[in-house]
């Protein structure tokens, strides 16, 4: 394993310190317990008169979640160690700092550890709260760390839209309803060319031959649908697009709609290849009546140093479109300001 | 080699088509010869009454250069095949489309092939033009493809600042002068943990053991200063920071200044590690009197799928700061709009 690391035990704190230093105009970092909040919470863009939006989860998926703290998105993020859930004290401490008078909404990827720890935090919080569980990964129903579908790249779309709505002063129930809707209207599937390597483990999470890919891989290297032979990109993308279309069909959601297409790199895939995937995926979806009107290509929800990518389609409606397009100012997503 | 590729010969065209499709509100793509321009050149943000800023070079460094086309940065980009210079017909065709009445400024990374081809284009252009050669890499004096220092990650800082100045209606000489100044005040050095793999070659550009790093590597995998034993991150970052400080000292440039610190990933390095590098580099520079007041961390000038990173320091003055901070709207860099 070759990584830019000093001591594996300090990796998270050192990396977060760098993040907080590089983006000191945007975030404040607290280390015991560990969480990050928006800067200047008492200012106009701060906590008062809005639902506090908090997310979190294991590290290793950067820029998720801390990279999405800021105006129009998250109020706080609670990072666990690499691929490890944060603990309830982190969520409680973050909520105490960022909550206003409209309650707290947790956005949680559906993994058993995250669900348990966020539930414990929710029960212990002395003020109104609700949770949106993301579960956009249509690759498998249950998985290594999951009962039900996994939450993957679609999570950042949920965070963007809910964060936007919260800025308008909408109430907790409205924010939860929008988050659930975006999650329902989103489907993702990923494919791995290589494994990731968890620094503390020091070796690849799974073995994969030079001639193989993992179709439907999870963002922690969990097994997907099947191990396949490496093929040309278009053949792989066809399978991803078909899986997403089949998922929407099975859930009686018409794709004859405007949509956001997100091609997400897992960490070690060159942008050149991600755009090639976009090219094929956009054409295939269009053939099936999808009107791609919003696009995003890059590393948004990663799996450390995994080579691979995921395809995410989010079916837009006027409300989702409005909240996707609205101004956002975070370290990893910024427009309109 | 496992990559998302259909046919190596079509990789560039397919990837550019995906880029142009994903960012159709920003760019227009032309394929024979190959170049990209800003969208809507006749509009306010288009070509008239400004110097046309054109860059280009081999592909594989995405988002450089096409990702920097748009308001406040480039008017056009001319991509060659992977790690291969574009040819003069590309630059001439691009210039014909984007030039206004104030001439054309080429921003060219200092590699022999690029220099030759841009020079040929410059000689053949029937209107006023000038060139800024970037040479921020302080690792080595001459290199595999280079007489003199290589142009690397600092190139995007030059493109940002010159692009901003051009929007104000400044003349060709002023744009060239600013570009040369930014280049002079910028130093970079990179380190590779792994080689990149050029798709057409199908195998790593160089061999490197699991216990080794290449200190001072170029963005095409060119040899650097020396092959070293892998060490903890801080030890590597210390060497990078020392190299940059020594370079400024040798050129009689005081670092007791405000500065922009760019930690650039080469393509396969997780953001978590890049922020850890930032953390150490920022502290070390501060100890030497540098006032880091601007930061950027991410994949901005890549080397395909190389694991590694570079450290870039740009010494700011009021003019550079103004043009770094000004609004920009491109696929890969966006703020203030």
């Amino acid at each position: 394993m070759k990584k830019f690391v000093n001591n594996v035990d300090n990796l998270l704190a050192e990396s977060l310190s760098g993040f907080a230093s590089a983006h000191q105009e945007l975030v404040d970092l607290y280390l015991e317990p560990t969480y990050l909040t928006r800067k200047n919470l008492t200012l106009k863009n701060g906590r008062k008169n809005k639902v506090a939006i908090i997310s979190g989860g294991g590290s290793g998926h950067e820029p998720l979640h801390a990279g999405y703290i800021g105006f129009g998105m998250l109020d706080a993020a609670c990072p666990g160690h690499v691929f490890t859930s944060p603990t309830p004290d982190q969520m409680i401490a973050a909520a105490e700092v960022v909550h206003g008078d409209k309650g707290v909404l947790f956005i949680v990827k559906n993994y058993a550890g995250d669900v348990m720890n966020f539930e414990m935090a929710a029960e212990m919080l002395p003020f109104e709260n609700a949770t949106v569980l993301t579960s956009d990964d249509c690759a498998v129903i249950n998985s290594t760390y999951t009962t039900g579908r996994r939450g993957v790249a679609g999570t950042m779309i949920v965070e963007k839209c809910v964060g936007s709505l919260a800025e308008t002063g909408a109430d907790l129930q409205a924010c939860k309803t929008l988050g659930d809707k975006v999650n329902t209207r989103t489907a993702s599937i990923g494919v791995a060319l290589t494994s990731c390597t968890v620094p503390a483990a020091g070796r690849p999470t799974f073995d994969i031959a030079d001639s193989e890919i993992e179709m439907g891989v999870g963002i922690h290297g969990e097994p997907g649908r099947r191990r396949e032979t490496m093929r040309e990109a278009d053949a792989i993308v066809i399978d991803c697009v078909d899986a997403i279309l089949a998922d929407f069909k099975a859930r009686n959601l018409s794709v004859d709609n405007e949509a956001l297409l997100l091609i997400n790199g897992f960490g070690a895939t060159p942008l050149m290849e991600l755009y090639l995937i976009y090219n094929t995926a956009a054409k295939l979806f269009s053939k099936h009546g999808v009107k791609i009107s919003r696009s995003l290509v890059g590393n948004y929800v990663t799996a450390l140093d995994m080579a691979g990518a995921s395809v995410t389609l989010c079916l837009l409606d006027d409300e989702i479109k409005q909240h996707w397009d609205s101004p956002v100012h975070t370290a990893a997503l910024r427009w309109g300001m």
Side-chain angles (χ1 to χ4, degrees), chain A residues 227-257:
Chain A
R227 186 62 57 96
E228 295 180 354
T229 303
M230 180 66 188
R231 289 163 294 155
E232 61 174 25
D234 281 0
I236 297 169
V237 178
I238 286 171
D239 285 354
C240 292
V241 167
D242 284 349
I244 289 170
L245 291 170
D247 178 59
F248 282 127
K249 189 171 182 186
R251 297 193 285 128
N252 290 314
L253 282 159
S254 165
V255 297
D256 185 12
N257 235 311

Side-chain angles (χ1 to χ4, degrees), chain A residues 283-302:
Chain A
K283 284 180 188 162
L284 290 169
F285 279 125
S286 297
K287 271 190 198 161
H288 285 87
V290 183
K291 296 164 198 72
I292 307 292
S293 67
R294 303 292 185 279
S295 303
L296 204 62
V297 180
N299 294 335
Y300 292 97
V301 177
T302 61

Side-chain angles (χ1 to χ4, degrees), chain A residues 13 30 48 89 143 158-160 163 192 203 258 262 265 271 333:
Chain A
Y30 303 79
K48 290 304 175 197
D89 57 317
S143 182
V158 172
E159 292 180 359
K160 170 68 181 79
R203 53 184 170 68
E258 270 193 78
L262 162 61
L271 208 43
L333 206 67

